[in-house]
Amino acid sequence: MSTPPTPSGLGFGAAVIANLYTEVPEQQAHEAVSAAWERGIRYYDTAPHYGLGLSERRLGAALREHPREEYLISTKVGRRLEPSAAGGDDLAHGFAVPATHRRVWDFTEDGVRRTLDASLERLGLDRVDMVYLHDPDDHAEQAFREGYPALEKLRAEGVVGAIGAGMNQAGMLTRFVRDTDVDVVLCAGRYTLLDQSAATELLPAALAKGTSVVVGGAFNSGLLADPKPGATYNYTEAPTELLDRALRMKAVAERHGIGLRAAALAFCAAHPAVTSVLVGARSATEVHDSADQFATPVPEAFWQELRETGLLKEPA
């Protein structure tokens, strides 16, 4: 049995190039992926949910210029796309694209296979390196009983290399790590400078089991990227208490000669269970900035001051 692929370092989250909140021109999206490649990024994450397939189409087209064996790509199952004649746009789900399809929650074996087949077609690939069950929060029974075994079969057939689950919570991901044979989990927003809930059980369990952890949402949807009034935290306006904490962290970072974004990325990457940190970018400029921030050394004195001032409870 071959060793499942393991994502490493900085990864490219392809939700943003699928017109997340606002339109991203085709060429700009292509340039963002090209810039990621230029900066040595070799792990790319997408999903049918992102722009009703637009993310997969754009990512597949941009990566076609590069040797397939030189990069890892992951997509997701659980939200099957069905054609829709409803019209309008998809902004209710966060994407500035025409509502040509509707999402259907489906973690059955048939649904998993049909969803993956459609993803492969949009990507222009015959295989993907990793597949995640996407946000099965309200569908736990079906995800564990049907969706996960379907992924096991696909892995055994060689259609996918590694299998796992991707969620914005740590509790159910911990169950996946402990109770199944997943290779990797994607945890978004639950291991950051502002929220270390994944450190209680998920990360220790993954470390003990040898399961890779990919961290997404390092900036908690914006607050840690640029803390200011009106900044978002977990996709809604940040509470005053968290905004104040982020601003205090930013001040500490600046005293130590670094940016808060560099500290946020370094925090996520520092845990031994974490193999990769995903960052979304809508332009080549944003990609280069993220790569620069990720490569910035963060002095130990910065972490020490965060701990001494009570701004960081969980040691990095």
Side-chain angles (χ1 to χ4, degrees):
M1 188 176 179
S2 59
T3 304
T6 302
S8 63
L10 187 63
F12 183 90
V16 182
I17 62 167
N19 295 2
L20 183 64
Y21 305 128
T22 58
E23 187 179 348
V24 177
E26 194 85 26
Q27 183 61 27
Q28 184 177 311
H30 192 281
E31 288 169 358
V33 180
S34 297
W37 188 274
E38 181 187 328
R39 295 304 297 265
I41 294 172
R42 295 295 182 267
Y43 171 43
Y44 301 83
D45 175 68
T46 183
H49 169 58
Y50 304 153
L52 295 171
L54 181 62
S55 173
E56 292 178 320
R57 287 193 295 273
R58 286 181 164 179
L59 187 61
L63 289 176
R64 216 158 289 146
E65 301 172 0
H66 306 291
R68 179 63 186 91
E69 67 277 6
E70 292 185 15
Y71 63 87
L72 299 181
I73 190 166
S74 59
T75 191
K76 306 181 184 76
V77 293
R79 283 178 170 102
R80 185 165 46 77
L81 300 183
E82 289 287 339
S84 170
D89 59 45
D90 191 52
L91 282 169
H93 293 95
F95 295 94
V97 298
T100 55
H101 291 72
R102 64 187 182 94
R103 299 163 178 84
V104 179
W105 289 105
D106 190 347
F107 291 94
T108 64
E109 179 173 353
D110 178 65
V112 165
R113 286 182 177 270
R114 286 169 58 193
T115 302
L116 181 58
D117 284 346
S119 289
L120 291 173
E121 186 174 340
R122 285 188 292 267
L123 287 163
L125 298 172
D126 59 4
R127 64 180 174 85
V128 286
D129 301 287
M130 290 162 278
V131 174
Y132 300 107
L133 297 170
H134 199 183
D135 294 339
D137 305 65
D138 298 325
H139 308 271
E141 184 183 352
Q142 190 179 66
F144 280 96
R145 191 184 70 245
E146 300 181 58
Y148 169 73
L151 290 188
E152 274 200 331
K153 289 181 182 178
L154 288 165
R155 181 176 60 186
E157 293 165 11
V159 179
V160 303
I163 59 174
M167 305 181 73
N168 293 286
Q169 60 148 289
M172 197 183 295
L173 288 181
T174 305
R175 184 181 162 194
F176 273 108
V177 170
R178 288 177 174 162
D179 297 349
T180 75
D181 188 32
V182 291
D183 306 296
V184 58
V185 292
L186 197 173
C187 181
R190 304 287 76 85
Y191 189 66
T192 72
L193 282 174
L194 292 173
D195 182 342
Q196 291 101 51
S197 52
T200 307
E201 294 188 341
L202 175 60
L203 296 182
L207 207 53
K209 195 91 175 278
T211 306
S212 300
V213 177
V214 174
V215 169
F219 304 137
N220 282 121
S221 85
L223 183 56
L224 286 169
D226 185 16
K228 61 185 178 184
T232 53
Y233 175 80
N234 290 353
Y235 309 105
T236 59
E237 187 169 338
T240 304
E241 178 191 352
L242 283 178
L243 173 59
D244 176 65
R245 195 164 146 217
L247 286 168
R248 289 168 62 199
M249 286 181 169
K250 181 182 179 182
V252 175
E254 288 173 349
R255 277 201 296 277
H256 290 276
I258 59 169
L260 183 59
R261 283 171 296 162
L265 292 172
F267 178 81
C268 295
H271 196 286
V274 175
T275 60
S276 183
V277 180
L278 285 174
V279 176
R282 65 178 59 243
S283 67
T285 301
E286 289 188 5
V287 170
H288 288 300
D289 176 71
S290 294
D292 289 343
Q293 298 294 329
F294 190 74
T296 300
V298 178
E300 175 57 35
F302 165 77
W303 304 117
Q304 190 62 33
E305 184 170 345
L306 285 193
R307 287 192 283 265
E308 288 173 353
T309 55
L311 288 171
L312 184 61
K313 303 282 196 297
E314 178 69 29

